[in-house]
Amino acid sequence: MNNYFIILGAGKGHRFSQKKPKQYFNYKGKILIHHSIDKAIDSKLFKKIIVVASKKYKKEFKKYKKNQLLFVSGGKERKDSSLNALKKIKKFKPQNVLIHDAARPNFSIRLLKNLIEKLKNNIAVVPFVNSTDSIKYRINTRHINLDRDKVYLTQTPQAFRYKNLYKLAIKQKKNISDEASLFLSSNQKIKFIYGENQNNKITFSYDIKNLKSYYGVGFDIHKLIKNKKLYLGGLKIPFHSGLKGHSDGDVILHAIIDAILGATRKKDIGTYFPNIKKFKNIRSPKMLKPIIENLYKSNFSINNLDINLICEQPKVSKFREKIINSISKLTSLNKNQINLKGKTVEKLGLIGNEKAIACEVIISITKYD
Ligand code: ZN
């Protein structure tokens, strides 16, 4: 398994926003470029995953372990970026290398396996799809019809024997739109395989038209009792009491669940987790998991979560980072999409007397279709 996966993510495409390139925007629940990285990791096909990105955005990759990714700075043009990466891995003596655009998050792991399999008998393997639109080609002032069955729209990832690609890439002067062009312009054979229609480039200019956003609000309160463990946001917190309930009483996760259900008009937590024996003492992360999975499966993406934890003790400031970390893991959200506020009630009433803890959550979600 001497395979390497290069993700080109240094593009500055500001069509979508002036603030940051599109590969750092949230798409279906996570940062666009993370989709490609996560799939490459999950596939277990690669010795190293190389991310070509601007140093400025290095913090966006904090969730990955150091040995999982290799960073390379982008070059002026696409060809420079991919050459930087090819040079960087030369010392590993790679056999195969896949080159991929970060703006295509929807390829399958099956496609990766297929590309590598086909490299056994080919030096270059490139996925394509046919066009669904009619295509005309202009030569000077004349326009001619192209037979769309013979038009190949090439996609990434594209797979190559490292040595062959490196030889061509190092000589290349002009900019290229993909590595397949290098092989074609030097008359080297490419094995074309049928790609995946859903593996289109995310441009956002199209997606933006179809965006719909929704808000949901959730509230929960549980009684504090002795001899019970306290769970908040999926995290065990050392405290003199815990929250009484049919489940572990995690007010934060329950309020998040209700906020999600509210935003997607799917009734309430009790509908899915009634007080029946099956759910006795269930841990709340187990309740949140199917709700989150269903949300992402339905093409929703969470923009942000804002949480008010209403209690006298424990002090939220002491556990804020850890709770946010835990929620970030459970929801696959970035930590900067989650805010947690602590609110005391001036020692008033049940909550003020440390007899209960309450929580309210507001969530904003967007549907991508
Ligand atoms: Zn509850």
Side-chain angles (χ1 to χ4, degrees):
M1 189 197 74
N2 197 359
N3 309 317
Y4 291 75
F5 193 70
I6 295 175
I7 301 172
L8 302 176
K12 295 186 192 74
H14 280 185
R15 237 180 316 175
F16 181 54
S17 152
Q18 292 303 310
K19 274 187 251 157
K20 54 183 176 181
K22 67 181 173 195
Q23 55 271 33
Y24 299 105
F25 273 87
N26 201 32
Y27 173 75
K28 291 188 185 173
K30 53 183 158 186
I31 292 180
L32 185 64
I33 192 170
H34 288 184
H35 286 268
S36 300
I37 299 174
D38 292 349
K39 258 180 256 188
I41 292 174
D42 290 347
S43 77
K44 298 192 173 72
L45 290 166
F46 303 100
K47 265 198 181 155
K48 282 228 157 25
I49 295 156
I50 301 94
V51 175
V52 186
S54 154
K55 278 201 189 97
K56 211 172 125 188
Y57 296 105
K58 219 168 165 179
K59 61 177 187 309
E60 303 285 358
F61 301 92
K62 272 193 302 200
K63 78 167 192 178
Y64 297 103
K65 293 190 200 100
K66 275 221 171 86
N67 61 0
Q68 283 180 309
L69 301 182
L70 196 63
F71 278 95
V72 179
S73 296
K76 210 171 145 225
E77 308 277 3
R78 180 204 161 94
K79 72 166 168 45
D80 307 311
S81 290
S82 88
L83 187 58
N84 285 356
L86 291 171
K87 281 181 178 163
K88 180 92 175 185
I89 57 172
K90 196 165 184 244
K91 61 179 177 213
F92 303 124
K93 298 192 170 53
Q95 189 185 352
N96 302 322
V97 60
L98 269 65
I99 302 215
H100 179 60
D101 286 330
R104 292 185 192 271
N106 293 320
F107 64 91
S108 70
I109 291 179
R110 204 176 51 230
L111 178 66
L112 298 178
K113 286 184 181 157
N114 196 7
L115 287 164
I116 289 172
E117 174 66 31
K118 294 279 188 312
L119 268 186
K120 282 181 188 159
N121 298 313
N122 299 281
I123 56 168
V125 187
V126 171
F128 74 97
V129 291
N130 290 126
S131 172
T132 48
D133 299 320
S134 299
I135 302 174
K136 315 285 176 266
Y137 192 79
R138 186 168 72 95
I139 305 171
N140 298 324
T141 55
R142 259 185 76 213
H143 291 81
I144 54 170
N145 284 312
L146 286 187
D147 179 355
R148 68 179 173 197
D149 289 337
K150 290 183 181 153
V151 170
Y152 282 23
L153 306 178
T154 52
Q155 304 187 324
T156 71
Q158 301 184 347
F160 307 96
R161 298 270 182 87
Y162 176 83
K163 274 187 193 161
N164 299 72
L165 176 62
Y166 186 81
K167 253 189 238 163
L168 295 175
I170 203 135
K171 285 190 295 194
Q172 182 65 21
K173 297 274 186 304
K174 278 186 281 177
N175 200 26
I176 47 165
S177 58
D178 66 355
E179 280 61 33
S181 341
L182 289 176
F183 282 71
L184 290 181
S185 57
S186 58
N187 283 322
Q188 298 207 29
K189 199 166 178 271
I190 293 178
K191 169 82 181 169
F192 285 102
I193 62 170
Y194 205 80
E196 296 174 323
N197 284 315
Q198 83 274 12
N199 184 18
N200 58 319
K201 225 179 224 180
I202 302 298
T203 58
F204 284 113
S205 52
Y206 166 77
D207 291 323
I208 233 171
K209 287 182 218 148
N210 294 294
L211 296 185
K212 279 200 190 96
S213 290
Y214 304 87
Y215 297 96
V217 60
F219 175 80
D220 196 26
I221 182 165
H222 283 262
K223 210 163 144 183
L224 276 167
I225 52 164
K226 297 271 176 210
N227 301 320
K228 203 165 177 207
K229 288 174 189 153
L230 175 65
Y231 289 100
L232 292 172
L235 190 77
K236 201 171 106 190
I237 309 268
F239 197 52
H240 56 68
S241 305
L243 291 169
K244 187 176 184 242
H246 194 71
S247 65
D248 62 8
D250 191 327
V251 281
I252 297 185
L253 295 192
H254 295 179
I256 291 176
I257 291 172
D258 258 348
I260 295 173
L261 296 173
T264 48
R265 292 197 303 125
K266 289 202 158 26
K267 299 181 185 158
D268 54 29
I269 191 169
T271 310
Y272 301 89
F273 301 99
N275 291 343
I276 55 172
K277 212 172 151 203
K278 187 179 160 195
F279 297 125
K280 184 92 187 121
N281 293 324
I282 185 175
R283 287 289 322 277
S284 299
K286 272 200 170 161
M287 302 162 73
L288 179 61
K289 199 169 176 241
I291 304 284
I292 282 279
E293 280 173 357
N294 197 36
L295 181 78
Y296 292 154
K297 249 188 248 157
S298 318
N299 280 345
F300 283 103
S301 148
I302 299 175
N303 301 314
N304 74 310
L305 269 178
D306 188 22
I307 305 160
N308 282 340
L309 186 67
I310 308 157
C311 58
E312 217 59 50
Q313 290 287 344
K315 283 279 164 269
V316 170
S317 56
K318 234 175 109 184
F319 301 100
R320 181 177 282 121
E321 281 307 305
K322 281 188 176 160
I323 292 176
I324 288 179
N325 250 327
S326 164
I327 296 171
S328 141
K329 279 193 191 126
L330 296 170
T331 54
S332 310
L333 283 178
N334 247 330
K335 281 180 263 177
N336 60 18
Q337 293 171 285
I338 305 164
N339 187 55
L340 173 61
K341 308 198 282 299
K343 196 89 206 135
T344 65
V345 289
E346 306 280 326
K347 300 206 159 29
L348 293 167
L350 280 176
I351 294 176
N353 287 324
E354 293 182 34
K355 295 271 191 288
I357 293 181
C359 181
E360 55 189 1
V361 167
I362 187 158
I363 193 169
S364 150
I365 62 171
T366 297
K367 190 167 173 76
Y368 295 87
D369 271 332

